[in-house]
Amino acid sequence: MASLATSSLCIATLLLVVVSWGTFASARNFYQDFDITWGDGRAQILNNGDLLTLSLDKASGSGFQSKNEYLFGKIDMQLKLVPGNSAGTVTAYYLSSNGSAWDEIDFEFLGNLSGDPYILHTNVFSQGKGNREQQFYLWFDPTADFHTYSILWNPQRIIFSVDGTPIREFKNAESIGVPFPKAQPMRIFSSLWNADDWATRGGLVKTDWTQAPFTASYRNFNADNACVSSSGSSSCTSSSSSSDGNAWLAEELDSTSQERLKWVQSNYMIYNYCSDAKRFPQGFPPECSMS
């Protein structure tokens, strides 16, 4: 009986070691994944790498970028936005490549007066051309707690989601002459900065510096389902899309997700470039014709 108990204890200890090692090996943190790029100490990595904060005061904002570049991915980040009177501030979280003909996929959170809703501004650039703005209110207070903001980017589409609910889909429309981001690796960037010349009510409401410093917080970054690009090679193989672990490379919205997308766009979308006839008197951009 003693030898059986000893054996059981050894097995339990071994399992604990294996589980602990697996948890340690798979854990990610901001020290591993990101570099603080500007802000002179206003950006901080805290809690052993589990939390990152950006701050803005009258002298400067702050920002960070990913160590890796990605060519397609399913990327999540939890953010808690600047609380209170955030008018004039912009918290930007986006993917972008380099150069004059860059690609970019944008989340931008436009601050507002206390009690007024944030505006979530989205845009897609391909080969240096953007002007594809859609804007939304959120159905919760994004300053009260952390919420998950996600980008699914595969060769067929880009899907923006909030807490798992899709809010926007930008489809590959190369067949009708619209460039699509698919050749340039992109890094993840985020910054908190002053944009009171345009961010709140077209610049009518200015930043109240007596409320500074303004702080946004980040946690739970996840890019496990993403293709890391390095020196022209990708961590995803040509056969990746057929494997279960990379099903996101061919992912599309199912019927339930399509209904949720329609719900958001019917109830919370406040601007859509594809509906702005004054802006496009010669006709809407061709991708607007795609359902």
Side-chain angles (χ1 to χ4, degrees), residues 54-112:
L54 295 182
S55 291
L56 163 69
D57 58 32
K58 197 167 186 178
S60 178
S62 51
F64 64 89
Q65 71 180 41
S66 62
K67 295 180 186 291
N68 287 328
E69 290 184 304
Y70 303 93
L71 187 58
F72 305 124
K74 192 172 186 178
I75 294 168
D76 303 327
M77 182 81 83
Q78 290 193 328
L79 281 75
K80 183 163 68 171
L81 300 179
V82 174
N85 180 1
S86 58
T89 71
V90 172
T91 306
Y93 166 59
Y94 59 101
L95 289 162
S96 182
S97 63
N98 297 316
S100 58
W102 77 100
D103 294 338
E104 186 171 323
I105 304 169
D106 285 344
F107 278 116
E108 289 188 316
F109 303 90
L110 312 185
N112 216 331

Side-chain angles (χ1 to χ4, degrees), residues 184-218:
Q184 300 185 64
M186 295 196 267
R187 291 187 193 276
I188 301 162
F189 295 86
S190 192
S191 58
L192 174 57
W193 50 290
N194 178 44
D196 66 3
D197 56 334
W198 65 270
T200 306
R201 300 182 188 174
L204 294 176
V205 181
K206 301 299 183 183
T207 304
D208 180 0
W209 294 111
T210 66
Q211 304 296 311
F214 304 97
T215 301
S217 302
Y218 301 74

Side-chain angles (χ1 to χ4, degrees), residues 40-53:
D40 193 24
R42 291 172 180 82
Q44 298 186 70
I45 298 176
L46 306 167
N47 297 356
N48 296 317
D50 290 340
L51 180 71
L52 189 152
T53 60

Side-chain angles (χ1 to χ4, degrees), residues 6-40:
T6 302
S7 298
S8 299
L9 180 61
C10 290
I11 292 170
T13 302
L14 180 61
L15 287 172
L16 180 61
V17 169
V18 169
V19 169
S20 299
W21 182 87
T23 302
F24 174 79
S26 64
R28 305 299 303 172
N29 67 60
F30 284 105
Y31 288 117
Q32 292 174 295
D33 294 317
F34 292 93
D35 292 316
I36 292 171
T37 49
W38 64 286
D40 193 24

Side-chain angles (χ1 to χ4, degrees), residues 2-289:
S3 60
L4 179 60
T6 302
S7 298
S8 299
L9 180 61
C10 290
I11 292 170
T13 302
L14 180 61
L15 287 172
L16 180 61
V17 169
V18 169
V19 169
S20 299
W21 182 87
T23 302
F24 174 79
S26 64
R28 305 299 303 172
N29 67 60
F30 284 105
Y31 288 117
Q32 292 174 295
D33 294 317
F34 292 93
D35 292 316
I36 292 171
T37 49
W38 64 286
D40 193 24
R42 291 172 180 82
Q44 298 186 70
I45 298 176
L46 306 167
N47 297 356
N48 296 317
D50 290 340
L51 180 71
L52 189 152
T53 60
L54 295 182
S55 291
L56 163 69
D57 58 32
K58 197 167 186 178
S60 178
S62 51
F64 64 89
Q65 71 180 41
S66 62
K67 295 180 186 291
N68 287 328
E69 290 184 304
Y70 303 93
L71 187 58
F72 305 124
K74 192 172 186 178
I75 294 168
D76 303 327
M77 182 81 83
Q78 290 193 328
L79 281 75
K80 183 163 68 171
L81 300 179
V82 174
N85 180 1
S86 58
T89 71
V90 172
T91 306
Y93 166 59
Y94 59 101
L95 289 162
S96 182
S97 63
N98 297 316
S100 58
W102 77 100
D103 294 338
E104 186 171 323
I105 304 169
D106 285 344
F107 278 116
E108 289 188 316
F109 303 90
L110 312 185
N112 216 331
L113 295 168
S114 297
D116 290 342
Y118 262 83
I119 292 174
L120 172 51
H121 175 101
T122 66
N123 204 351
V124 176
F125 289 75
S126 49
Q127 298 180 17
K129 182 183 181 300
N131 301 323
R132 300 184 177 103
E133 300 91 348
Q134 290 184 359
Q135 295 183 337
F136 306 84
Y137 288 143
L138 294 165
W139 49 96
F140 53 83
D141 178 359
T143 73
D145 203 349
F146 285 90
H147 292 270
T148 304
Y149 301 90
S150 306
I151 293 169
L152 169 65
W153 169 36
N154 66 29
Q156 296 81 38
R157 59 189 41 82
I158 296 164
I159 299 171
F160 298 77
S161 298
V162 178
D163 288 339
T165 295
I167 64 169
R168 177 178 185 176
E169 180 179 27
F170 182 81
K171 294 180 179 178
N172 185 330
E174 289 178 307
S175 61
I176 55 173
V178 180
F180 185 82
K182 69 173 191 179
Q184 300 185 64
M186 295 196 267
R187 291 187 193 276
I188 301 162
F189 295 86
S190 192
S191 58
L192 174 57
W193 50 290
N194 178 44
D196 66 3
D197 56 334
W198 65 270
T200 306
R201 300 182 188 174
L204 294 176
V205 181
K206 301 299 183 183
T207 304
D208 180 0
W209 294 111
T210 66
Q211 304 296 311
F214 304 97
T215 301
S217 302
Y218 301 74
R219 72 180 188 189
N220 290 349
F221 167 69
N222 186 348
D224 289 346
N225 294 313
C227 302
V228 175
S229 179
S230 179
S231 302
S233 63
S234 172
S235 62
C236 297
T237 64
S238 58
S239 60
S240 290
S241 59
S242 62
S243 66
D244 292 340
N246 289 288
W248 60 269
L249 273 167
E251 186 174 333
E252 56 187 85
L253 295 175
D254 60 20
S255 58
T256 300
S257 295
Q258 289 174 6
E259 288 301 314
R260 294 167 77 188
L261 176 68
K262 290 177 184 177
W263 174 77
V264 172
Q265 296 192 341
S266 296
N267 292 284
Y268 294 97
M269 179 184 282
I270 59 172
Y271 178 80
N272 181 5
Y273 76 108
C274 284
S275 302
D276 192 344
K278 290 182 179 178
R279 184 177 174 189
F280 299 105
Q282 305 304 315
F284 292 115
E287 70 268 18
C288 294
S289 64

